[in-house]
């Protein structure tokens, strides 16, 4: 593979360009905010517990291993390529423009789905908070959609402005909420160790084992919510054209976010499960919790702190939604700039240097997803959360597969001595884990309401593949532009 010159995408070609003004912490802010650990730790482990029972930390540990294998792919590729299209550029430069376009649109679709997930989660948290303050009968379920749209309005306002202030907001908001969660977790662990827990619970390492009769395939069903919790750790790659020294700072942001997320999720989910109890009653209460850390704060620390935690989780969800829109808009902008999307979506604001049209469209699609769920499907906000989360995660795993295949090819064809070919074992192991996780989530085919998520993911995948295949000339032109932007 030819060596890329150190030039910014767009240098020397007639194309819309972004401004390089962000440092490594800005990139970290987008990745951490899109991963949204403080939101995820409150609402995602319940889905894992429904599948694997007490072994939630084990499922998150396995998800951490998978994410670190995938992080190797993104680190190696972002050391070579810096592009707003993230996986579109990574896959396009290694496997070809058609595969790159498919990966790019799938990743953009994931971020849009996660925009629906996170704004809906914010609506759910706000509904729960107001119900606790007032009365359960004073607020209907559909209020969650209204709150979600208020959050989306604020997200849109920030997303069409310069991103530097937005990334600072993302990092500070998430950091403060994580700090509160860690305080609750440490106090809870202290009471578990000393035997002063409300229900007599103690430290119980059985949370890292499955109950008898739980199959390996069932564990991998639970891992999906682990991947969901990590999803977005690679979002810093979409700032490849806006970050200073991107081939050094972007890999650092991606790997640092993945490592932090792994430690945080495994440790805190273990404390959560032990605090609720590892017996059948404890697992059932865990699954039914609407905000895990909020409930722990109420039981183990102080009731008023539970309100603070829920408010923090709401801000985390809103910050995550902003990061989703930022990521989606950069991907859509990059794809459209290269001819794989409408020209209007490649426009950049003349003074703010952000893809404001792509950001506006991303927010509008999120609203449509929620409106269809509410009006046509008569779904509750939590139903929309689950469906969009499952669909978004599954198509993201497909994009990860394509990126990992690109990394394998890069390892075999790179001849500059920068990468040892023995490293190929890492992405190969990642492919095995990704492939099996995808397989176990569609085979056997789910029934009832459980089929909405996988069914929607397959429909989106089919539309994206068909849309790319019917435009071969556009794909070839996009490939030429992509290689020129990367300095080859």
């Amino acid at each position: 593979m030819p060596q890329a010159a150190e030039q910014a995408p767009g240098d020397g070609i007639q194309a819309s360009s972004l401004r390089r003004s962000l440092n490594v912490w800005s990139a970290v802010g987008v990745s951490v905010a899109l991963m949204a650990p403080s939101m995820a730790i409150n609402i995602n482990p319940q889905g894992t517990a429904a599948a694997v029972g007490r072994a939630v930390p084990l499922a998150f540990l396995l998800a951490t291993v998978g994410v670190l294998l995938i992080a190797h792919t993104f680190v190696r590729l972002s050391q070579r390529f810096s592009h707003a299209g993230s996986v579109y550029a990574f896959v396009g430069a290694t496997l070809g423009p058609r595969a790159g376009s498919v990966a790019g649109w799938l990743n953009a679709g994931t971020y849009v789905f996660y925009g629906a997930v996170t704004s809906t989660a914010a609506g759910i948290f706000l509904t729960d908070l107001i119900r606790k303050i007032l009365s359960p009968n004073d607020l209907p379920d559909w209020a969650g959609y209204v709150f979600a749209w208020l959050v989306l309005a604020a997200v849109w306002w920030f997303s069409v402005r310069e991103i530097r202030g937005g990334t600072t907001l993302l990092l500070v908001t998430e950091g403060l909420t994580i700090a509160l969660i860690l305080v609750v977790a440490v106090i809870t662990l202290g009471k578990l160790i000393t035997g002063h827990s409300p229900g007599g619970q103690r430290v119980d390492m059985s949370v890292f084992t499955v109950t008898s009769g739980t199959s390996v395939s069932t564990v991998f069903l639970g891992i999906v919510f682990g991947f969901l919790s990590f999803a977005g750790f690679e979002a810093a790659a979409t700032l490849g054209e806006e970050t200073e020294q991107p081939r050094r700072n972007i890999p650092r942001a991606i790997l640092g976010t993945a490592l932090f997320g792994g430690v945080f999720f495994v440790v805190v989910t273990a404390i959560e499960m032990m605090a609720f109890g590892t017996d059948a009653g404890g697992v059932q209460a865990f699954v039914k919790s609407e905000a895990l850390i909020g409930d722990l704060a109420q039981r183990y620390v102080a009731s008023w702190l539970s309100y603070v935690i829920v408010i923090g989780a709401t801000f985390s969800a809103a910050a995550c939604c902003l990061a989703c829109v930022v990521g989606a808009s950069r991907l859509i902008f990059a794809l459209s700039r290269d001819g794989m999307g409408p020209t209007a979506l490649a426009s950049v604001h003349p003074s703010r240097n952000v893809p404001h049209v792509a950001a506006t469209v991303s927010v509008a699609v999120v609203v449509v997803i929620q409106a269809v769920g509410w009006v046509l499907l008569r779904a509750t906000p939590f139903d929309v959360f689950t469906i969009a989360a499952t669909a978004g995660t599954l198509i993201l795993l497909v994009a990860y597969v394509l990126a990992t295949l690109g990394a394998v090819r890069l390892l075999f064809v790179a001849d500059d001595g920068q990468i040892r070919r023995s490293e190929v074992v890492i992405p190969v192991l990642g492919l095995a884990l990704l492939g099996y996780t995808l397989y176990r989530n569609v085979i056997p085919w789910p029934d009832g309401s459980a089929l909405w998520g996988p069914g929607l993911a397959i429909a989106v995948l089919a539309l994206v593949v068909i849309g790319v295949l019917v435009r071969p000339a556009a794909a070839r032109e996009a490939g030429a532009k992509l290689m020129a932007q990367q300095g080859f």
Side-chain angles (χ1 to χ4, degrees), residues 199-254:
Q201 295 90 347
R202 288 183 175 272
V203 172
D204 185 354
M205 299 308 289
S206 69
V207 295
F208 289 98
T209 63
V210 296
T211 56
S212 59
T214 303
S215 65
V216 173
S217 61
T218 301
V219 173
F220 274 82
L221 289 175
I223 286 177
V224 165
F225 284 90
F227 277 123
L228 169 63
S229 300
F230 279 97
F233 79 94
E234 81 295 340
T238 63
L239 300 180
E241 296 178 34
E242 298 166 83
T243 303
E244 299 167 351
Q245 296 182 292
R247 293 174 188 174
R248 184 189 70 175
N249 288 333
I250 296 299
R252 288 179 176 180
I254 291 172

Side-chain angles (χ1 to χ4, degrees), residues 438-449:
L438 284 166
Y439 174 78
R440 292 315 313 174
N441 277 273
V442 295
I443 303 297
W445 183 248
D447 54 15
S449 60

Side-chain angles (χ1 to χ4, degrees), residues 104-472:
W105 281 114
L106 289 179
N107 207 13
T110 291
Y111 289 162
V112 170
F113 275 126
Y114 284 170
V117 169
T118 52
S119 58
T120 303
I124 291 171
F125 289 145
L126 286 172
T127 302
D128 178 55
L129 182 65
I130 294 175
R131 282 174 172 169
K132 286 179 177 178
I133 295 173
L134 300 176
S135 169
N137 297 322
D138 288 340
L139 208 62
D141 284 341
W142 55 258
Y145 290 115
V146 177
F147 290 135
W149 290 339
L150 291 175
V151 168
L152 280 170
V155 164
W156 172 81
W157 190 88
F158 279 106
S159 68
V160 297
R161 280 156 177 79
E162 283 201 53
I163 191 59
R164 179 185 293 181
T167 56
T168 301
L169 174 69
L170 296 178
L171 193 57
V172 171
T173 300
E174 193 63 29
L176 290 174
T177 309
I178 289 171
L180 280 175
I181 288 172
L182 291 176
V183 168
V184 172
V186 168
I187 293 174
T188 301
L189 180 61
K191 291 189 175 183
L192 291 171
I193 292 172
T194 59
H196 291 90
S197 59
Q201 295 90 347
R202 288 183 175 272
V203 172
D204 185 354
M205 299 308 289
S206 69
V207 295
F208 289 98
T209 63
V210 296
T211 56
S212 59
T214 303
S215 65
V216 173
S217 61
T218 301
V219 173
F220 274 82
L221 289 175
I223 286 177
V224 165
F225 284 90
F227 277 123
L228 169 63
S229 300
F230 279 97
F233 79 94
E234 81 295 340
T238 63
L239 300 180
E241 296 178 34
E242 298 166 83
T243 303
E244 299 167 351
Q245 296 182 292
R247 293 174 188 174
R248 184 189 70 175
N249 288 333
I250 296 299
R252 288 179 176 180
I254 291 172
L255 183 59
T257 302
L259 287 170
F260 165 74
V263 174
F264 179 81
F265 287 131
V266 173
V267 171
V268 178
T269 55
I271 294 171
E272 286 176 333
M273 181 54 72
M274 289 187 286
F276 272 86
T278 57
D279 58 0
V283 172
Q284 186 178 18
F286 186 99
V287 172
K288 291 183 177 180
S289 173
E290 292 185 337
L292 289 167
I293 296 294
D295 287 347
L296 288 190
Q298 187 169 23
R299 294 171 58 188
Y300 283 80
V301 187
S303 58
W304 64 265
L305 188 57
S306 68
Y307 299 140
V308 177
I309 293 292
V310 174
I311 292 171
T314 301
F315 276 101
S316 173
C320 182
C321 186
L322 174 57
C324 291
V325 172
V326 168
S329 63
R330 269 59 178 178
L331 280 157
I332 294 170
F333 159 79
L335 286 157
S336 301
R337 180 180 61 185
D338 289 355
M340 294 307 296
T343 305
L345 297 180
S347 61
V348 173
H349 194 278
S351 61
R352 299 170 185 158
N353 285 92
V354 296
H356 59 301
V357 177
T360 301
V361 169
S362 300
V363 171
V365 174
V366 170
V367 172
V368 169
I369 291 171
Q370 293 166 329
V372 168
W374 180 14
V375 177
L376 297 183
L377 302 182
R378 303 293 182 184
T380 66
F382 192 79
D383 291 333
V384 170
F385 171 91
T386 303
I387 293 169
T390 303
T393 301
L394 293 178
I395 63 174
L396 178 63
L397 295 185
V398 175
Y400 283 168
V401 166
L402 291 171
T404 307
L405 287 171
V408 171
R409 185 172 186 274
L410 176 66
L411 287 166
F412 275 111
V413 303
D415 57 2
D416 54 12
Q418 294 185 33
I419 305 176
R420 296 187 303 271
R421 291 190 178 182
S422 59
E423 286 186 28
V424 74
V425 67
I426 299 176
V428 167
L429 288 173
L431 282 173
L433 185 62
L434 288 169
Y436 189 73
T437 303
L438 284 166
Y439 174 78
R440 292 315 313 174
N441 277 273
V442 295
I443 303 297
W445 183 248
D447 54 15
S449 60
L451 63 81
W452 278 104
L456 187 56
I458 291 173
V460 170
L461 176 61
L463 286 173
V464 167
V465 171
I466 292 171
V468 171
L469 290 180
V470 298
R471 302 184 65 205

